[in-house]
Each structure stands twice: as structure tokens, then as C-alpha cells.
Amino acid sequence: MRHETFSNERTREIVSSHLGLEGPLLPILHAVRETFGYVPEAAVPVIAEELNLSRAEVHGVVTFYHDFNRAPHGRHVVKICRAEACQSVGVETLVAHAERSLGVSMGETSPDGRVTLEPIYCLGLCACAPAAMVDGRIIGRLDMEAIDEIVAEVDR
Amino acid sequence: MSAIKVFVPCDAAAIACGADSVAEAILSEAGKAGVEIKLVRNGSRGMLWLEPLVEVEADGVRYGFGPVRKRDVAALVAAGLFTAPASVSHDLAIGVVSEHPFLTAQQRLTFARCGITDPRSLDDYLAHGGYKGLARALELGSAGIVAEVTKSGLRGRGGAGFPTGIKWKTVHDAKGTQKYIVCNADEGDSGTFADRMIMEGDPFELIEGMTIAGIAVGATRGYIYCRSEYPHAISTLRAAIGTARANGYLGPKVNGTEFAFELEVREGAGAYVCGEETSLLESLEGKRGLVRAKPPLPAHVGLFGKPTIINNVLSLTAVPHILADGADAMRTTAWAARAARCRSRSPATSSMAACSRPPSASRSAIWSRRSAAVRCRAARSRRFRSVARSAPIFRHLSLIRPSTTRNSPRRTR
């Protein structure tokens, strides 16, 4: 997915398009993340000023929620569910396999910016566990072959 | 001859198992064969080990095939999937879906439409009894709705089992210029996905339930706080809300009456604690999801400090049935009779996953033994104990994949 380069002007635009909402901070942060691919540190003072909040308040919210990554992700994002239902059908073996094959550890982005591997806690696909989400696409009944296909897709 | 109806679920579990590519393959094979079909993306029937479950309607009867992979489609079509679905000889054919042993043992209320209808179609919803609850609610008026919900014995389906009618009465009696209805769709516990299934499979039911709640307590705004891990539920709900608004079921004049009700979906951001009601309210307000001290209760001081109903998805989706069929309907069904000693009379839904086995004619004995074991295990966990104690277990979903990785490490989290 192509992301825009961060700018104060674009951030202000995003904020102003959400001002009609009650409690707009989370929708704004989602929009900022979707636009730039992450929530840049520099966006925090801009949002704070526009919403008449302190920087500390906005910073506190950004850092509280896992979804608001503060550094850009890799070109591909592989999220593997590590919640209990997926663990009960052996996702940890698959996680180890994915880490080895992709050459990154859980929670890290590869140095070449190719891929980010992250844990996710429950996609609600427990009946076809283990499950994963690759670039927003959900995959169930995950096995070693499926991991190999994901790795091939990332390497392409 | 009218187009043949073919159903391929749009439930996230089906999509995760390749339903989208199966749907594409079916359209392309139908094109090649020159057969006119109408492809419907329905919700899931709950037989998740059969997903993607393709259904073909012939003479008003739906025949099932599953689990279908993209590469199976050509063979199924060659075997007569479109022309004679009843007599297809193929390993994936399961026969008449409504006669499947998993379904014949069930009596569904909340999930009655799920898997049958197109979740994004308002016409389908209306044709299957949708918005009858709202019509009766408008006749009854605020106090009448609260009385009906109280009489039904509905208890909170989030797990705590607080009587819904009492919560509603508290908000009804609270003074306030603005009140809110909040739906807790932050279904974070692993192994639970009934909220997701109903939001994806019958979103209008939740919209109707929240609208009735709004009229009952005088709230004009509602929020559905859905976790970001459920992107399909969020997009289905947003589409359904848009359709409901365009058809006058939401907006300044609900159904042409003086009642106003607006609804919005808010996306969570990956914080598990926000499934707790007060931290969910904090999150909706745009703050960190920190738990508030109680009292004051959200019913008195809730969202933005206003009186607020906060209910689970399954509590709110039970409401249209209570209104449409009357509170007594909750007391006269077969399972309610079995649960005569319980104070909670409406159905509870349970999700099952992991190492259990699907029912089939040859395995029914194994199934009932295994499912009993699963239920016992579930009942030992704190979350399920409240359900098991307060309500007859409505074994609606079974979630099942014969495990191939049982020797792998057990839970470590």
C-alpha cells in the first residue's frame, strides 16, 4: 500500500475533516496512520494544537493503543494470531517457522523494509485456527505450507 | 427460467478459508457453462468446519457443499452443481443444509437469519421478519418497551448477566438532555466470535436492537465500538447503517415518527482492556482506555458524562425478537422450559473451537461425547460459568477442525 509523506498541512486537513465527530481523537489517529502508514512523532503537536489538547494527552493516547505504530511498517505486514485458541492448535510452531523463513523476529521490521512480523490477539477465526492477516487479508487453517506461500509472496 | 441462486458466505471465517476465490471461480464457471446464476454472499450457518459452505437453491430447497476450495469448483459444476444440485455425487456434497444434524437439533432466535439471508440486503431482512420488533416498539412507547424487556428476563450476554431491563429502566429514569446507546463489540477473548458472526451475518438486527433501545430510554445517538481486528464486521455494519439511514430506519425521523436515532461505528485500536465497559467509554471519548471507578454507573454518568446504556452485541440483538414475539415467547420455547428454574430465559450463544470434532451421521456419538467434554471445559472457565449458570446453553456454533497439530506446544500465554 502506498502512503503519503508526512506534512503538517495534510495532518491539519485530516483533523479538520473529523471535527464534526464527538470524541474525534481515535478516528483521527486511525486516519493519520492510514494516510502516512504510521503515526509520526511530529503529528502529535499538530493534532494537539488543532484539538486544543496538551501534547502529553495526545502522546498518551498514541502510545496506549497497539494499532498506532510510531515507526513505518515494512512493505508487507504479516500478523499472526497468538491468542489462546490459535495456541491450542499449535501456532507457536508456525511462528517459529515464520520467524526463521522471513528472517525477522516477532514485533520487528526487516532491515531492508521488506516485511514486518507482528503478533495479533484474536481475529475471531478461532474455528479455523491458526489464523493470520497478511496486508489486511485474512487467512485461516494456517499450516507450514501456508506460511511458505506467505514468505514467497513477501519475497516477490 | 429465473437465475439459479448460489450462496457463498461472506463471513470472515469463510473468507479466511478462501470463500472469495471460490465465489470468483463459481461466477467464471457459470459464465463458461452459459448458466445464469445469482450469487448471494450470505452469513455463516455456524458449521465452520464446512466453510466455505457453498449452497445452491433448487425448488426452494438449499443443497450444501463444503468445504469447497477454488480447485473443487470445476468438478462440482461438471457433476451438476447448477443443474441438479440434489443429485450431485461428490465427496463435498452434504445434502439439504437445513436437515443437517448440526442444525436440526437447534432452535435459533438471534441467529435465525444468519447464514440464510444476504446481510447487506434490507429487503432480505424485511422479508425474514426484520423490523417487526421496531414496529411493535413504536406502538408500545418508551415505558412499554422497558417493561417488555424486563419481563422477558433477558440478562446481559457479555458474561456478567446483569438484567437488561433494570439497566434500561435506570437510563430511562435518569434526567439528561442527551443520552447514549453504546454497543460493546470489543469481543476480545480468544475463542469467542459470536458477536463477529452476527455483525457480519445479520447487521440490521443489531441496528434494530439499538434503535429500539434508543426509543426506550430517549437516546438519540448510538455508537458501536468494534475492535479493529474485525475489519469485515466494521465494513458490513457501516454498509448496513448507510442503507438503514437511506430508507428512513435511522435519522431524524425513525420510520416516519418523531423519534430520532443516529448510529455510528467506532473502531478500536488494539487495546484488550477496552472490552471493559468503562474503559470502552473512555476510548470512545478519545482517551486512553483506563478503567473508571464505579459508582457512578454508566447508566447515570456514562459517555461524555451522560446517561448511557452499554450492552453487549448479543443482548441488543435479542431485543428485536423480544419485542416482535412478546416477552412471553422467551418463556415458552423448548429450552426455556428446560431452564424453568433459571432467572434468565433468553438464549445464550456459545462458540466452540479447537480440538473438537464435527457432528456427522457416523460420528454423532463421538460428537455428543466430545461436545459434552468441551462444554464441561468451557463451563470451568470463569467467562463461561456465568453463561452456564444463568442461561440454558444454546449450542449454536461449533467450531471445529479435527486437529492435525495436537502434539504442538500448549498455551503458554
Side-chain angles (χ1 to χ4, degrees):
Chain A
M1 201 194 292
R2 286 254 159 247
H3 295 296
E4 297 174 31
T5 314
F6 171 77
S7 73
N8 288 349
E9 293 70 42
R10 188 76 182 90
T11 309
R12 279 198 197 92
E13 260 176 52
I14 293 169
V15 176
S16 63
S17 70
H18 287 85
L19 286 180
L21 301 180
E22 296 180 311
L25 187 51
L26 257 67
I28 287 171
L29 291 172
H30 274 299
V32 165
R33 198 194 59 78
E34 269 157 39
T35 308
F36 305 124
Y38 68 115
V39 181
E41 199 67 53
V44 170
V46 181
I47 297 168
E49 192 188 326
E50 295 292 310
L51 293 181
N52 200 22
L53 296 170
S54 72
R55 284 183 191 196
E57 280 169 302
V58 178
H59 175 84
V61 172
V62 173
T63 52
F64 182 83
Y65 295 97
H66 295 292
D67 284 5
F68 303 135
N69 51 305
R70 295 158 72 207
H73 277 148
R75 286 189 296 282
H76 297 280
V77 181
V78 178
K79 297 181 178 184
I80 302 181
C81 179
R82 291 180 96 169
E84 290 86 342
C86 285
Q87 284 196 26
S88 76
V89 287
V91 79
E92 288 304 315
T93 347
L94 300 178
V95 167
H97 182 58
E99 284 182 328
R100 261 195 320 275
S101 313
L102 291 169
V104 283
S105 303
M106 249 324 170
E108 284 183 357
T109 300
S110 62
D112 57 0
R114 183 174 44 99
V115 63
T116 300
L117 182 63
E118 280 188 345
I120 189 165
Y121 291 97
C122 201
L123 291 160
L125 304 174
C126 319
C128 43
M133 187 185 249
V134 179
D135 298 333
R137 186 166 51 90
I138 47 175
I139 303 170
R141 296 178 190 150
L142 210 61
D143 52 19
M144 292 291 191
E145 292 82 68
I147 295 279
D148 292 338
E149 277 169 36
I150 293 169
V151 174
E153 189 183 320
V154 165
D155 286 341
R156 220 170 287 146
Chain B
M1 192 181 134
S2 62
I4 299 158
K5 266 192 178 176
V6 180
F7 299 83
V8 180
C10 63
D11 182 274
I15 290 174
C17 297
D20 287 348
S21 59
V22 168
E24 265 172 45
I26 285 175
L27 284 174
S28 122
E29 288 294 328
K32 273 193 243 165
V35 181
E36 195 193 341
I37 65 163
K38 182 175 190 289
L39 183 73
V40 179
R41 300 302 300 268
N42 56 331
S44 173
R45 298 261 198 172
M47 301 191 284
L48 291 155
W49 71 96
L50 290 175
E51 295 293 2
L53 174 66
V54 174
E55 294 176 62
V56 180
E57 192 175 284
D59 301 324
V61 180
R62 283 160 69 159
Y63 298 90
F65 306 86
V68 177
R69 290 157 304 176
K70 188 181 166 187
R71 62 174 180 268
D72 301 320
V73 174
L76 280 168
V77 171
L81 182 71
F82 300 139
T83 48
S87 52
V88 169
S89 166
H90 194 284
D91 286 349
L92 300 179
I94 64 158
V96 178
V97 178
S98 58
E99 290 170 9
H100 192 282
F102 175 76
L103 293 173
T104 50
Q106 297 185 28
Q107 181 179 13
R108 294 187 173 191
L109 287 183
T110 303
F111 282 77
R113 274 177 297 264
C114 191
I116 310 279
T117 56
D118 174 354
R120 297 188 184 217
S121 163
L122 179 61
D123 291 340
D124 231 3
Y125 185 66
L126 295 170
H128 288 80
Y131 278 117
K132 280 192 182 152
L134 178 66
R136 178 140 181 275
L138 290 167
E139 283 168 24
L140 287 175
S142 301
I145 300 169
V146 174
E148 196 76 355
V149 172
T150 307
K151 191 178 164 201
S152 75
L154 176 66
R155 299 175 71 134
R157 288 292 174 248
F162 188 80
T164 306
I166 293 178
K167 191 183 271 185
W168 286 26
K169 183 158 194 326
T170 312
V171 179
H172 175 269
D173 294 345
K175 298 267 179 290
T177 48
Q178 174 73 62
K179 296 177 185 177
Y180 292 100
I181 310 296
V182 174
C183 171
N184 183 345
D186 197 74
E187 187 182 40
D189 290 325
S190 178
T192 63
F193 44 85
D195 296 358
R196 177 184 67 68
M197 286 188 67
I198 202 68
M199 289 189 286
E200 290 171 358
D202 200 4
F204 287 106
E205 191 173 50
L206 178 57
I207 296 169
E208 184 182 354
M210 291 184 73
T211 309
I212 293 169
I215 293 166
V217 302
T220 53
R221 288 195 74 88
Y223 289 98
I224 302 170
Y225 185 94
C226 186
R227 55 203 300 266
S228 61
E229 290 84 349
Y230 287 179
H232 297 82
I234 291 171
S235 71
T236 307
L237 281 169
R238 285 190 172 144
I241 287 170
T243 307
R245 192 178 291 129
N247 287 276
Y249 287 101
L250 289 173
K253 287 181 179 299
V254 172
N255 240 4
T257 62
E258 80 272 26
F259 293 106
F261 193 67
E262 261 308 332
L263 196 49
E264 193 186 322
V265 180
R266 283 290 173 89
E267 189 177 347
Y272 174 78
V273 71
C274 290
E276 191 282 327
E277 62 179 15
T278 60
S279 60
L280 187 153
L281 295 176
E282 290 285 304
S283 185
L284 266 180
E285 291 180 8
K287 301 172 190 160
R288 298 196 289 158
L290 299 179
V291 175
R292 295 178 187 172
K294 287 193 278 193
L297 297 169
H300 292 124
V301 182
L303 186 62
F304 302 110
K306 309 292 185 195
T308 301
I309 284 185
I310 178 159
N311 273 145
N312 174 260
V313 174
L314 296 175
S315 311
L316 289 163
T317 48
V319 168
H321 299 275
I322 292 169
L323 271 296
D325 303 332
D328 288 329
M330 292 290 150
R331 296 159 183 268
T332 52
T333 50
W335 36 258
R338 278 202 301 276
R341 284 171 302 152
C342 297
R343 282 174 297 174
S344 174
R345 290 181 171 84
S346 51
T349 307
S350 62
S351 324
M352 284 188 238
C355 303
S356 44
R357 195 179 282 275
S360 69
S362 59
R363 285 179 179 160
S364 54
I366 299 172
W367 157 244
S368 55
R369 205 165 57 235
R370 290 249 180 155
S371 66
V374 168
R375 272 180 291 163
C376 288
R377 275 206 297 282
R380 279 201 291 274
S381 83
R382 191 168 56 84
R383 182 180 168 82
F384 279 80
R385 197 160 53 219
S386 60
V387 175
R389 276 187 184 159
S390 65
I393 284 218
F394 180 43
R395 200 182 64 207
H396 155 248
L397 307 165
S398 186
L399 305 169
I400 306 213
R401 167 177 177 252
S403 175
T404 52
T405 45
R406 298 189 67 173
N407 298 327
S408 51
R410 306 300 290 183
R411 54 169 61 179
T412 54
R413 187 172 149 216

